[in-house]
């Protein structure tokens, strides 16, 4: 293919825009802010589960404490009835003995229940501390997620702005390249998965970083400036400049 030497030079600007766009695409795919958002979401899920467990523990302790306190109230009421019966003077001596024995048993039962209530109150206090810590951690995780999302969105906005700018420049440059040469560039770029042209600098293809030797170097040196030459290694269009070392 023949193409004006200066039109071939434009391919380097086109390639530069493609490299910039590829770098932006890579940055979008590997954005560390995405990992930060995912980590914050995972932390939030874990802490939310901790809050649920802590709240369940507090409710269970409350329910158990109410049951025990109801049992204490029942024992006290029974003991009060027994004392009233004893004080009424209507009980027989045998009944008085039985009532006293029951009062002693009720007193022991009440003491045991009140000890259990105190133990539950201590456990409830500890559970409250665990719940407060979990809730505080969850609030922090939510704040971290918000900050991470804001950082991610800012980075994505920056990437989108760069893509728009480089995309516009690429379109502008491509519009100045003759259609046959541009079509060849696009075809090679698709094959390489990157750029379709590279500078020949100091006898080396800047696309694959392989230096030209022997017949390939002689062909490049002797080719007409308007002849489109290709790298035998990566197949890119080799653009000759004053720094090609030919």
């Amino acid at each position: 293919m023949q193409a004006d030497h200066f039109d071939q030079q434009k391919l380097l600007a086109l390639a530069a825009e493609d490299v910039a766009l590829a770098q932006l695409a890579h940055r979008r795919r590997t954005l560390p802010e995405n990992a930060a958002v995912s980590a914050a979401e995972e932390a939030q899920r874990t802490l939310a589960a901790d809050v649920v467990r802590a709240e369940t523990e507090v409710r269970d302790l409350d329910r158990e404490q109410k049951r025990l306190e109801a049992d204490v109230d029942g024992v006290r009421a029974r003991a009060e009835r027994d004392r009233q019966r004893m004080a009424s003077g209507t009980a027989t001596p045998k009944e008085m003995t039985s009532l006293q024995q029951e009062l002693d048993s009720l007193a022991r039962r009440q003491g045991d229940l009140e000890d259990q209530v105190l133990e539950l109150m201590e456990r409830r206090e500890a559970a409250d501390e665990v719940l407060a810590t979990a809730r505080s951690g969850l609030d922090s995780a939510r704040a971290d997620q918000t900050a991470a999302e804001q950082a991610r969105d800012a980075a994505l906005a920056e990437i989108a702005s760069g893509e728009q700018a480089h995309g516009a420049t690429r379109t502008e440059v491509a519009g100045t390249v003759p259609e046959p040469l541009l079509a060849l560039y696009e075809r090679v770029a698709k094959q390489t998965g990157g750029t379709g042209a590279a500078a020949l600098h100091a006898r080396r293809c800047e696309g694959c970083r392989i230096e030209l030797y022997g017949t390939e170097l002689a062909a490049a040196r002797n080719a007409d400036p308007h002849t489109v030459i290709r790298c035998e290694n990566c197949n890119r269009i080799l653009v000759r400049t004053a720094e090609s070392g030919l």
Side-chain angles (χ1 to χ4, degrees), residues 174-215:
T176 68
V177 179
E179 182 58 33
L181 183 59
L182 179 61
L184 175 61
Y185 174 91
E186 299 290 13
R187 186 167 64 252
V188 175
K190 185 176 181 180
Q191 293 171 352
T192 64
T195 61
L200 178 60
H201 180 80
R203 301 180 181 180
R204 182 179 66 181
C205 171
E206 291 297 291
C208 61
R209 302 291 179 174
I210 300 297
E211 187 172 345
L212 275 62
Y213 288 99
T215 57

Side-chain angles (χ1 to χ4, degrees), residues 25 38 50 69 93 96 112 116 123 140 147 152 157 160 162 178 221 241:
S38 297
D50 290 344
E69 288 174 344
M96 291 290 287
D112 290 341
Q116 292 179 49
R123 290 173 59 190
S140 296
R152 177 203 60 195
R221 180 182 292 126
T241 69

Side-chain angles (χ1 to χ4, degrees), residues 57-221:
E57 176 70 10
V58 168
R59 285 195 298 270
D60 289 346
L61 290 172
D62 282 344
R63 186 164 48 249
E64 181 65 11
Q65 183 175 339
K66 288 178 181 178
R67 185 188 67 78
L68 288 173
E69 288 174 344
D71 288 348
V72 170
D73 291 340
V75 169
R76 286 173 177 168
R78 179 65 181 270
E80 181 60 25
R81 288 196 299 270
D82 286 351
R83 281 191 289 270
Q84 289 177 358
R85 178 72 189 280
M86 292 177 70
S88 68
T90 61
T92 65
K94 184 177 179 181
E95 289 174 331
M96 291 290 287
T97 299
S98 177
L99 287 169
Q100 184 58 57
Q101 290 175 344
E102 185 174 41
L103 281 173
D104 292 341
S105 176
L106 289 172
R108 290 192 296 272
R109 175 60 177 162
Q110 180 178 335
D112 290 341
L113 290 171
E114 288 175 343
D115 287 343
Q116 292 179 49
V117 170
L118 289 174
E119 180 183 353
L120 277 176
M121 291 175 66
E122 292 176 355
R123 290 173 59 190
R124 168 61 192 274
E125 183 178 355
D128 283 340
E129 292 179 359
V130 172
L131 178 56
T133 299
R135 284 174 172 168
S136 176
L138 181 57
D139 289 341
S140 296
R142 285 171 175 161
D144 289 344
Q145 181 173 350
T146 298
E149 288 173 346
Q150 290 173 344
R152 177 203 60 195
D153 292 345
L156 288 173
E158 181 182 345
I159 291 171
S161 177
E163 288 173 335
Q164 183 177 5
H166 286 290
T169 301
R170 186 191 192 283
T171 299
E172 181 180 351
V173 173
T176 68
V177 179
E179 182 58 33
L181 183 59
L182 179 61
L184 175 61
Y185 174 91
E186 299 290 13
R187 186 167 64 252
V188 175
K190 185 176 181 180
Q191 293 171 352
T192 64
T195 61
L200 178 60
H201 180 80
R203 301 180 181 180
R204 182 179 66 181
C205 171
E206 291 297 291
C208 61
R209 302 291 179 174
I210 300 297
E211 187 172 345
L212 275 62
Y213 288 99
T215 57
E216 185 182 11
L217 176 61
R221 180 182 292 126

Side-chain angles (χ1 to χ4, degrees), residues 15-32 155 158-160 162-163 166 193-195 209:
E17 295 306 320
D18 282 343
V19 168
L21 288 168
Q23 289 172 340
L24 288 169
H26 176 74
R27 184 184 173 197
R28 182 186 289 277
R29 291 192 303 271
T30 60
L31 203 63
E158 181 182 345
I159 291 171
E163 288 173 335
H166 286 290
T195 61
R209 302 291 179 174

